[in-house]
Amino acid sequence: MVRVIILAGCCLLALVSSGFCLSYGHEPIGIESRSLDAIYQAALKEKGTLRVSWGGDAISNGAGIIAAFTKRFPDVEFNLTVDLSKYHDSRADRTFDTSNGEDDGTDVVLLQTVHDFPRWKKANRLLPYKVATWNDIQSPFKDEDGAFTGCFIGEFGTIVFNDDKAPNDTVPTTYQSFLKPEWRNKLAMTYPNDDDAILYLFTLIVKRHGWTFIDSLVSQNVTWLRGTGTPSELIAKPISQNELAASFAASPSAAAVILTKLPTEDHYVTWPQTAAIFATTKMPETAKLFMSYIMSDEWQADGFPSSGYATRKQFDTDGVLNQTLTNPLGFVTFMQDRANVERWRFQFETTLGTPQGVSPLLNKTVI
């Protein structure tokens, strides 16, 4: 049985240097040798409800895993909460503080905020666990002690467009081309100062094209929105409802009219969405079952967004670490320097103002 909680808050990985070694208050562990069914039987002996914090900015973000996990393990009680990663981590830290270290308010986290995991590991707040598929997870995407692991590759910067409003052969593959007059009033973008991955994308743009690009983009009368799914949902609407036709700062929609293209010259963003078990969990076997399932062949083959990139070697058909226009470890490095992140955030806020609109989890446009 599962109960989904959608929180409307205003919604590691790799140890990028071999010298980045953290003291850890746990004994070395081996790789899981049990089958999913065997772990399931162990989980059934625990009493309570597993709490999972799932990073996302649309109600639908958690739907797939909820349906699949419930079907596969029908007798496990779990709550999956969808909210922005930056609010999940804040709640966990506050609960840990207010409970004097007895609880983190959740058992399993799967988040975009990759900078949290080394910090939590250093504080001995994570329960080490190496899933059965551990050796198939690419080394830069997992902690050597099993404290956390990247579960799938997120991606922003692909060009998203409505084929009815902007036919495929008219949609450019360079960001600078969207500064042409014909794209005025037709672009929808996620606020860079409301999502760290979108923020990182815009830092790459500024480093390549300069601040004049941002000034020119703003002059295109862009529709700026909260939530990475909101632009695509509006772009998917028919021309009778709006003329928004394209974006390069949004996640794609499942709508049939929405197509995507990779940029051919500009750098785009990929990152390892990362998961861990908190050491305060009262349901360690159930937490291990959840981690094992999301890293299993069963879920990896069909469950996560498929772009040809994956943290597991078997499913990383396009080789995310071998690309010239994206570097998933670049985002990890960016996120670790919080002072730099804040400097960039306020640079964009100076130009765009504070993000306007309701939480994307309350926005009825995004399902």
Side-chain angles (χ1 to χ4, degrees):
M1 178 180 180
V2 59
R3 180 165 62 92
V4 189
I5 305 172
I6 306 299
L7 293 179
C10 280
C11 121
L12 73 131
L13 196 256
L15 303 180
V16 293
S17 165
S18 60
F20 186 56
C21 222
L22 298 173
S23 60
Y24 201 37
H26 294 276
E27 293 297 321
I29 60 168
I31 296 172
E32 178 64 79
S33 60
R34 297 173 294 175
S35 68
L36 284 173
D37 289 331
I39 305 171
Y40 182 33
Q41 291 306 309
L44 291 177
K45 297 176 182 178
E46 297 180 331
K47 297 185 182 301
T49 299
L50 184 73
R51 303 162 299 175
V52 179
S53 295
W54 190 275
D57 59 9
I59 293 172
S60 59
N61 289 162
I65 185 61
I66 291 167
F69 192 78
T70 302
K71 182 178 179 180
R72 183 67 169 81
F73 309 107
D75 296 321
V76 168
E77 298 273 352
F78 81 111
N79 290 345
L80 189 143
T81 303
V82 178
D83 202 357
L84 305 183
S85 295
K86 62 184 179 180
Y87 298 132
H88 276 313
D89 65 356
S90 295
R91 289 191 189 93
D93 286 340
R94 183 183 299 183
T95 303
F96 185 81
D97 289 342
T98 57
S99 70
N100 294 318
E102 296 295 319
D103 186 24
D104 287 276
T106 188
D107 301 297
V108 178
V109 285
L110 195 151
L111 307 175
Q112 180 193 80
T113 49
V114 293
H115 61 287
D116 287 317
F117 295 90
R119 171 174 65 87
W120 286 334
K121 177 188 176 182
K122 187 175 183 179
N124 292 322
R125 287 175 59 184
L126 302 180
L127 179 70
Y129 183 59
K130 296 181 180 181
V131 296
T133 56
W134 187 257
N135 287 335
D136 191 51
I137 302 170
Q138 300 181 80
S139 294
F141 301 137
K142 63 185 178 184
D143 173 65
E144 61 183 6
D145 297 312
F148 49 85
T149 184
C151 297
F152 69 90
I153 298 296
E155 184 177 330
F156 288 140
T158 54
I159 294 157
V160 178
F161 62 99
N162 183 328
D163 194 42
D164 287 344
K165 295 177 179 177
N168 194 344
D169 60 357
T170 69
V171 177
T173 57
T174 65
Y175 299 158
Q176 200 143 24
S177 297
F178 287 101
L179 302 181
K180 294 180 179 178
E182 57 263 34
W183 290 102
R184 180 173 170 77
N185 300 320
K186 296 181 179 180
L187 301 175
M189 306 274 180
T190 304
Y191 280 104
N193 45 327
D194 200 36
D195 182 284
D196 283 348
I198 296 292
L199 177 65
Y200 181 54
L201 172 66
F202 274 81
T203 69
L204 296 178
I205 291 171
V206 169
K207 288 176 181 178
R208 177 177 172 82
H209 299 294
W211 282 102
T212 56
F213 177 97
I214 303 300
D215 295 336
S216 298
L217 182 64
V218 171
S219 71
Q220 290 289 69
N221 196 29
V222 172
T223 297
W224 297 98
L225 299 158
R226 295 193 62 203
T228 59
T230 316
S232 294
E233 294 296 336
L234 290 178
I235 289 168
K237 303 293 183 184
I239 190 68
S240 60
Q241 294 190 29
N242 67 59
E243 58 181 326
L244 299 173
S247 180
F248 53 80
S251 56
S253 160
V257 295
I258 294 294
L259 300 179
T260 62
K261 294 181 177 182
L262 282 176
T264 54
E265 298 178 8
D266 295 283
H267 291 266
Y268 59 99
V269 176
T270 51
W271 74 92
Q273 194 85 349
T274 303
I277 302 170
F278 278 117
T280 55
T281 181
K282 302 300 190 292
M283 303 186 70
E285 294 298 333
T286 312
K288 290 175 182 178
L289 178 65
F290 188 84
M291 289 288 290
S292 292
Y293 182 67
I294 60 176
M295 296 309 296
S296 70
D297 290 354
E298 290 181 36
W299 178 250
Q300 290 278 319
D302 300 311
F304 283 132
S306 178
S307 64
Y309 298 150
T311 60
R312 280 192 54 190
K313 301 170 190 175
Q314 178 180 339
F315 300 101
D316 188 35
T317 55
D318 290 344
V320 68
L321 291 169
N322 300 320
Q323 299 299 308
T324 58
L325 292 179
T326 191
N327 174 16
L329 302 184
F331 178 71
V332 175
T333 301
F334 173 75
M335 290 290 279
Q336 288 170 345
D337 187 346
R338 301 311 296 169
N340 185 51
V341 170
E342 290 306 301
R343 281 193 295 271
W344 277 105
R345 188 190 319 282
F346 286 113
Q347 283 293 325
F348 288 104
E349 197 158 294
T350 300
T351 299
L352 303 176
T354 56
Q356 301 296 304
V358 299
S359 162
L361 291 166
L362 290 178
N363 191 335
K364 301 303 181 182
T365 301
V366 185
I367 58 175

Short mmCIF file of all heavy atoms in Angstrom, two decimals, residues 11-43:
data_model
loop_
_atom_site.label_atom_id
_atom_site.label_comp_id
_atom_site.label_asym_id
_atom_site.label_seq_id
_atom_site.Cartn_x
_atom_site.Cartn_y
_atom_site.Cartn_z
N CYS A 11 8.99 23.49 -4.55
CA CYS A 11 9.23 21.94 -4.90
C CYS A 11 9.62 21.58 -4.53
O CYS A 11 8.96 21.87 -4.56
CB CYS A 11 9.37 21.48 -6.03
SG CYS A 11 10.38 20.62 -7.04
N LEU A 12 28.87 13.15 -5.21
CA LEU A 12 27.78 13.27 -5.23
C LEU A 12 28.56 14.02 -5.70
O LEU A 12 28.50 14.98 -5.11
CB LEU A 12 26.70 13.26 -6.11
CG LEU A 12 26.51 11.89 -6.48
CD1 LEU A 12 25.26 11.34 -6.43
CD2 LEU A 12 27.26 11.60 -7.41
N LEU A 13 28.67 13.97 -6.44
CA LEU A 13 28.34 12.56 -6.40
C LEU A 13 29.62 11.85 -6.32
O LEU A 13 30.06 11.44 -5.29
CB LEU A 13 27.69 12.18 -7.71
CG LEU A 13 27.01 10.93 -7.64
CD1 LEU A 13 27.32 9.72 -8.10
CD2 LEU A 13 25.91 11.14 -6.86
N ALA A 14 30.08 11.82 -7.47
CA ALA A 14 31.40 11.26 -7.54
C ALA A 14 32.28 12.08 -6.64
O ALA A 14 32.14 13.27 -6.50
CB ALA A 14 31.93 11.38 -8.92
N LEU A 15 33.19 11.41 -6.05
CA LEU A 15 34.21 12.16 -5.35
C LEU A 15 35.15 12.60 -6.45
O LEU A 15 35.98 11.85 -6.90
CB LEU A 15 34.88 11.28 -4.32
CG LEU A 15 33.86 10.70 -3.33
CD1 LEU A 15 34.56 9.82 -2.32
CD2 LEU A 15 33.09 11.79 -2.64
N VAL A 16 34.93 13.82 -6.95
CA VAL A 16 35.53 14.23 -8.20
C VAL A 16 37.05 14.31 -8.13
O VAL A 16 37.71 14.36 -9.14
CB VAL A 16 34.96 15.59 -8.65
CG1 VAL A 16 33.50 15.44 -9.01
CG2 VAL A 16 35.10 16.64 -7.55
N SER A 17 37.58 14.31 -6.95
CA SER A 17 39.03 14.23 -6.82
C SER A 17 39.36 13.01 -5.99
O SER A 17 38.74 12.75 -4.97
CB SER A 17 39.57 15.48 -6.11
OG SER A 17 40.88 15.28 -5.67
N SER A 18 40.34 12.24 -6.44
CA SER A 18 40.71 11.04 -5.70
C SER A 18 41.24 11.40 -4.32
O SER A 18 41.27 10.57 -3.42
CB SER A 18 41.78 10.25 -6.47
OG SER A 18 42.93 11.04 -6.67
N GLY A 19 41.62 12.65 -4.13
CA GLY A 19 42.11 13.08 -2.82
C GLY A 19 41.01 13.49 -1.87
O GLY A 19 41.26 13.80 -0.73
N PHE A 20 39.77 13.49 -2.37
CA PHE A 20 38.65 13.91 -1.53
C PHE A 20 38.18 12.70 -0.73
O PHE A 20 37.31 11.96 -1.11
CB PHE A 20 37.52 14.44 -2.42
CG PHE A 20 36.37 15.01 -1.64
CD1 PHE A 20 36.59 16.02 -0.72
CD2 PHE A 20 35.07 14.56 -1.84
CE1 PHE A 20 35.54 16.58 -0.01
CE2 PHE A 20 34.01 15.10 -1.13
CZ PHE A 20 34.24 16.12 -0.22
N CYS A 21 38.80 12.47 0.41
CA CYS A 21 38.54 11.29 1.21
C CYS A 21 37.90 11.73 2.52
O CYS A 21 38.38 12.65 3.15
CB CYS A 21 39.84 10.58 1.49
SG CYS A 21 39.72 8.84 1.34
N LEU A 22 36.81 11.07 2.90
CA LEU A 22 36.10 11.45 4.10
C LEU A 22 36.20 10.36 5.15
O LEU A 22 36.09 9.18 4.84
CB LEU A 22 34.62 11.68 3.77
CG LEU A 22 34.32 12.81 2.78
CD1 LEU A 22 32.86 12.79 2.42
CD2 LEU A 22 34.70 14.15 3.35
N SER A 23 36.37 10.78 6.40
CA SER A 23 36.30 9.80 7.47
C SER A 23 34.86 9.31 7.56
O SER A 23 33.93 10.05 7.32
CB SER A 23 36.73 10.45 8.79
OG SER A 23 35.88 11.53 9.12
N TYR A 24 34.69 8.05 7.91
CA TYR A 24 33.37 7.47 7.89
C TYR A 24 33.22 6.50 9.05
O TYR A 24 34.06 5.66 9.27
CB TYR A 24 33.17 6.73 6.55
CG TYR A 24 31.73 6.50 6.17
CD1 TYR A 24 30.78 7.46 6.43
CD2 TYR A 24 31.35 5.33 5.53
CE1 TYR A 24 29.46 7.26 6.06
CE2 TYR A 24 30.03 5.12 5.15
CZ TYR A 24 29.10 6.09 5.42
OH TYR A 24 27.79 5.90 5.05
N GLY A 25 32.14 6.65 9.83
CA GLY A 25 31.98 5.86 11.03
C GLY A 25 31.28 4.54 10.82
O GLY A 25 30.50 4.11 11.67
N HIS A 26 31.51 3.88 9.71
CA HIS A 26 30.92 2.58 9.44
C HIS A 26 32.00 1.60 8.97
O HIS A 26 32.98 1.99 8.35
CB HIS A 26 29.83 2.68 8.35
CG HIS A 26 28.64 3.48 8.77
ND1 HIS A 26 27.60 2.95 9.48
CD2 HIS A 26 28.33 4.79 8.56
CE1 HIS A 26 26.69 3.89 9.72
NE2 HIS A 26 27.11 5.01 9.17
N GLU A 27 31.78 0.35 9.29
CA GLU A 27 32.69 -0.68 8.82
C GLU A 27 32.52 -0.88 7.32
O GLU A 27 31.43 -0.68 6.78
CB GLU A 27 32.41 -2.01 9.55
CG GLU A 27 32.73 -1.98 11.04
CD GLU A 27 34.20 -1.74 11.32
OE1 GLU A 27 35.03 -2.31 10.57
OE2 GLU A 27 34.51 -1.00 12.26
N PRO A 28 33.58 -1.29 6.60
CA PRO A 28 33.45 -1.59 5.17
C PRO A 28 32.37 -2.65 4.95
O PRO A 28 32.23 -3.58 5.75
CB PRO A 28 34.83 -2.10 4.79
CG PRO A 28 35.75 -1.50 5.81
CD PRO A 28 34.96 -1.46 7.09
N ILE A 29 31.64 -2.50 3.88
CA ILE A 29 30.55 -3.43 3.60
C ILE A 29 30.77 -4.12 2.27
O ILE A 29 31.49 -3.61 1.40
CB ILE A 29 29.18 -2.71 3.58
CG1 ILE A 29 29.16 -1.62 2.49
CG2 ILE A 29 28.86 -2.12 4.95
CD1 ILE A 29 27.79 -1.07 2.20
N GLY A 30 30.14 -5.27 2.11
CA GLY A 30 30.19 -5.98 0.85
C GLY A 30 29.02 -5.62 -0.04
O GLY A 30 28.15 -4.83 0.33
N ILE A 31 29.00 -6.21 -1.21
CA ILE A 31 27.93 -5.97 -2.17
C ILE A 31 26.75 -6.89 -1.85
O ILE A 31 26.95 -8.06 -1.48
CB ILE A 31 28.45 -6.21 -3.61
CG1 ILE A 31 29.55 -5.19 -3.94
CG2 ILE A 31 27.32 -6.14 -4.63
CD1 ILE A 31 30.26 -5.46 -5.24
N GLU A 32 25.57 -6.38 -2.00
CA GLU A 32 24.35 -7.17 -1.75
C GLU A 32 24.36 -8.45 -2.58
O GLU A 32 24.60 -8.42 -3.79
CB GLU A 32 23.11 -6.33 -2.10
CG GLU A 32 21.79 -7.05 -1.94
CD GLU A 32 21.50 -7.42 -0.50
OE1 GLU A 32 21.07 -6.53 0.26
OE2 GLU A 32 21.73 -8.61 -0.15
N SER A 33 24.11 -9.57 -1.92
CA SER A 33 24.11 -10.86 -2.63
C SER A 33 22.71 -11.48 -2.71
O SER A 33 22.51 -12.48 -3.40
CB SER A 33 25.05 -11.85 -1.92
OG SER A 33 24.64 -12.06 -0.58
N ARG A 34 21.74 -10.88 -2.02
CA ARG A 34 20.39 -11.41 -2.03
C ARG A 34 19.61 -10.98 -3.27
O ARG A 34 19.88 -9.92 -3.83
CB ARG A 34 19.63 -10.98 -0.78
CG ARG A 34 20.21 -11.47 0.52
CD ARG A 34 19.48 -10.84 1.71
NE ARG A 34 19.70 -9.40 1.78
CZ ARG A 34 19.10 -8.59 2.66
NH1 ARG A 34 18.25 -9.10 3.55
NH2 ARG A 34 19.37 -7.29 2.67
N SER A 35 18.65 -11.75 -3.66
CA SER A 35 17.74 -11.38 -4.75
C SER A 35 16.74 -10.35 -4.24
O SER A 35 16.57 -10.17 -3.02
CB SER A 35 17.00 -12.61 -5.27
OG SER A 35 16.11 -13.09 -4.27
N LEU A 36 16.04 -9.70 -5.14
CA LEU A 36 15.00 -8.76 -4.74
C LEU A 36 13.94 -9.46 -3.90
O LEU A 36 13.45 -8.90 -2.91
CB LEU A 36 14.35 -8.13 -5.98
CG LEU A 36 15.15 -7.05 -6.71
CD1 LEU A 36 14.45 -6.66 -8.00
CD2 LEU A 36 15.34 -5.82 -5.82
N ASP A 37 13.58 -10.66 -4.28
CA ASP A 37 12.55 -11.39 -3.54
C ASP A 37 13.01 -11.71 -2.12
O ASP A 37 12.21 -11.67 -1.18
CB ASP A 37 12.17 -12.67 -4.29
CG ASP A 37 11.39 -12.38 -5.57
OD1 ASP A 37 10.68 -11.36 -5.61
OD2 ASP A 37 11.50 -13.16 -6.52
N ALA A 38 14.29 -12.04 -1.95
CA ALA A 38 14.81 -12.33 -0.62
C ALA A 38 14.81 -11.07 0.25
O ALA A 38 14.47 -11.12 1.44
CB ALA A 38 16.21 -12.92 -0.72
N ILE A 39 15.19 -9.93 -0.34
CA ILE A 39 15.17 -8.67 0.42
C ILE A 39 13.72 -8.32 0.77
O ILE A 39 13.43 -7.82 1.86
CB ILE A 39 15.84 -7.54 -0.37
CG1 ILE A 39 17.26 -7.92 -0.79
CG2 ILE A 39 15.89 -6.26 0.47
CD1 ILE A 39 17.90 -6.93 -1.75
N TYR A 40 12.81 -8.57 -0.14
CA TYR A 40 11.38 -8.33 0.09
C TYR A 40 10.90 -9.10 1.32
O TYR A 40 10.19 -8.55 2.18
CB TYR A 40 10.61 -8.73 -1.16
CG TYR A 40 9.11 -8.51 -1.11
CD1 TYR A 40 8.54 -7.46 -0.40
CD2 TYR A 40 8.26 -9.36 -1.81
CE1 TYR A 40 7.16 -7.26 -0.38
CE2 TYR A 40 6.89 -9.17 -1.81
CZ TYR A 40 6.34 -8.12 -1.08
OH TYR A 40 4.98 -7.94 -1.09
N GLN A 41 11.28 -10.36 1.42
CA GLN A 41 10.87 -11.16 2.57
C GLN A 41 11.43 -10.59 3.87
O GLN A 41 10.75 -10.57 4.90
CB GLN A 41 11.32 -12.61 2.38
CG GLN A 41 10.58 -13.35 1.26
CD GLN A 41 9.07 -13.30 1.42
OE1 GLN A 41 8.55 -13.61 2.50
NE2 GLN A 41 8.37 -12.91 0.36
N ALA A 42 12.66 -10.09 3.82
CA ALA A 42 13.24 -9.46 5.00
C ALA A 42 12.51 -8.17 5.35
O ALA A 42 12.27 -7.86 6.52
CB ALA A 42 14.72 -9.18 4.77
N ALA A 43 12.13 -7.42 4.33
CA ALA A 43 11.42 -6.16 4.55
C ALA A 43 10.05 -6.38 5.17
O ALA A 43 9.58 -5.56 5.98
CB ALA A 43 11.28 -5.42 3.22
#
